[in-house]
Amino acid sequence: MAGLCEGRVCIVTGGARGVGREYALMLAAQGAKVVVNDLGGTADGTGTDLSPAEQVVEEIRKAGGEAVANGDDVSDWNGAKNMIDQAIKTFGKLDVVISNAGILRDRMLVNMSEAEWDAVIKVHLKGTFAPARHACAYWRDRAKETGAPVNARLINTTSVSGIYGNIGQSNYGAAKAGIASLTVIAAREMRRYGVTVNCISPSAHTRMTADLRQYTPEEVERRNPRWVAPIAVWLASEESGDITGRVFQAGNGIIAVAEGWHRGPTIDAVADPATLGPIVKDMVARARKNAGMNGLDLD
């Protein structure tokens, strides 16, 4: 029986470990041809090592699938373009890009260095934008050449730190919030070409989250990255063509649709700022409380 992603060509960035590895393995198990991208660095982004990506490729091939490793830096303009080109050259086309690569350099705002800010923004935000830009240009050109929608997928990675907020992660959270917004905008721009753009916020126990606190064995199992992979693989398939511009939470026992910014309580314009205070306080009191302030597990 054909898999859900039979014959589709997929790139997974950060695909050698954790959530990305589970994406790559499940995509391949569902018939996809996979480009496993990973620099192989440490959790803070230092160092390079292609062997983890090559190990995932070997695992896919031993199971009868098709895969190739890629060690390009997705936050580098030319590196991202080379990764897109490698997928097309190797497998003849490109259908899906899952941007999952990331690093952490947590620090309280008043102690964060410029280098810590720049590194995290570069890997997460630019590292999502650059592959998306090159892939979307390819898909647009294909749609224009054929006169038909390309049925392609762009799947990004956000975090509860970005969509709800988390102390000590202003760099990471800002990048992840930016990725969620990029997802919504790109979905609107690319709809005409048959490209859907969605985003996943994983709740998973990986090397990036393992040190946030102590986890029980039961919590580790609930946060196993394999619980995140099904929504990514379904979004990568042709069956998800009517879903775009959405953010999903997955892992820790749930799959949920995350709701973004929306207009809450509204008043007519007020000219005098001195009279505005009590009115604003009443509006805030009537506004729907942010989920992150109501006991949401932010790791």
Side-chain angles (χ1 to χ4, degrees):
M1 183 173 65
L4 190 64
C5 294
E6 193 70 34
R8 288 174 75 72
V9 176
C10 306
I11 293 173
V12 180
T13 76
R17 301 183 178 95
V19 173
R21 178 179 179 274
E22 295 300 323
Y23 288 169
L25 294 176
M26 190 172 288
L27 283 165
Q30 290 293 325
K33 302 172 184 180
V34 186
V35 176
V36 181
N37 162 270
D38 206 299
L39 275 177
T42 61
D44 68 359
T46 56
T48 60
D49 181 5
L50 189 59
S51 62
E54 291 174 333
Q55 290 168 10
V56 176
V57 168
E58 182 62 21
E59 190 170 347
I60 290 171
R61 289 175 176 171
K62 284 183 177 179
E66 296 183 59
V68 63
N70 174 276
D72 284 308
D73 180 352
V74 294
S75 67
D76 177 82
W77 183 260
N78 294 326
K81 178 65 163 58
N82 184 68
M83 179 182 66
I84 301 300
D85 290 344
Q86 180 185 358
I88 298 166
K89 182 178 180 180
T90 302
F91 297 119
K93 62 172 183 170
L94 175 64
D95 301 297
V96 180
V97 174
I98 301 180
S99 286
N100 171 73
I103 65 171
L104 283 179
R105 295 192 184 180
D106 291 355
R107 192 85 63 189
M108 298 297 283
L109 179 62
V110 296
N111 295 320
M112 185 171 292
S113 69
E114 182 179 15
E116 289 167 336
W117 175 272
D118 288 347
V120 171
I121 295 296
K122 182 174 185 284
V123 173
H124 286 277
L125 193 52
K126 188 178 179 183
T128 298
F129 159 71
R133 191 275 183 195
H134 294 304
C136 286
Y138 163 74
W139 289 326
R140 178 201 58 189
D141 291 346
R142 279 190 60 200
K144 288 183 175 181
E145 289 170 5
T146 63
V150 294
N151 210 4
R153 307 284 181 262
L154 187 62
I155 303 168
N156 299 324
T157 305
T158 186
S159 168
V160 292
S161 181
I163 57 180
Y164 302 130
N166 198 20
I167 292 172
Q169 293 189 316
S170 58
N171 51 2
Y172 179 74
K176 290 305 190 182
I179 290 169
S181 293
L182 172 63
T183 296
V184 174
I185 295 166
R188 294 177 178 178
E189 293 182 357
M190 296 304 296
R191 183 192 295 269
R192 72 187 72 178
Y193 305 115
V195 180
T196 68
V197 188
N198 291 289
C199 201
I200 299 171
S201 172
S203 295
H205 187 268
T206 68
R207 63 178 182 155
M208 288 182 63
T209 63
D211 293 333
L212 293 179
R213 64 176 177 84
Q214 289 293 115
Y215 294 91
T216 67
E218 293 77 14
E219 288 174 328
V220 171
E221 172 55 27
R222 281 171 60 88
R223 289 169 170 79
N224 190 303
R226 73 172 183 272
W227 295 113
V228 184
I231 184 65
V233 174
W234 183 80
L235 287 172
S237 75
E238 293 188 358
E239 292 189 6
S240 65
D242 57 342
I243 305 297
T244 193
R246 293 291 187 171
V247 176
F248 296 89
Q249 285 182 249
N252 194 21
I254 66 164
I255 296 176
V257 178
E259 297 179 334
W261 289 103
H262 66 284
R263 181 175 294 171
T266 306
I267 61 169
D268 292 335
V270 175
D272 181 10
T275 66
L276 197 54
I279 300 173
V280 171
K281 289 182 179 181
D282 177 68
M283 293 170 65
V284 171
R286 291 186 287 116
R288 186 176 63 175
K289 297 297 184 181
N290 184 291
M293 298 300 180
N294 287 321
L296 184 70
D297 188 353
L298 289 174
D299 60 5

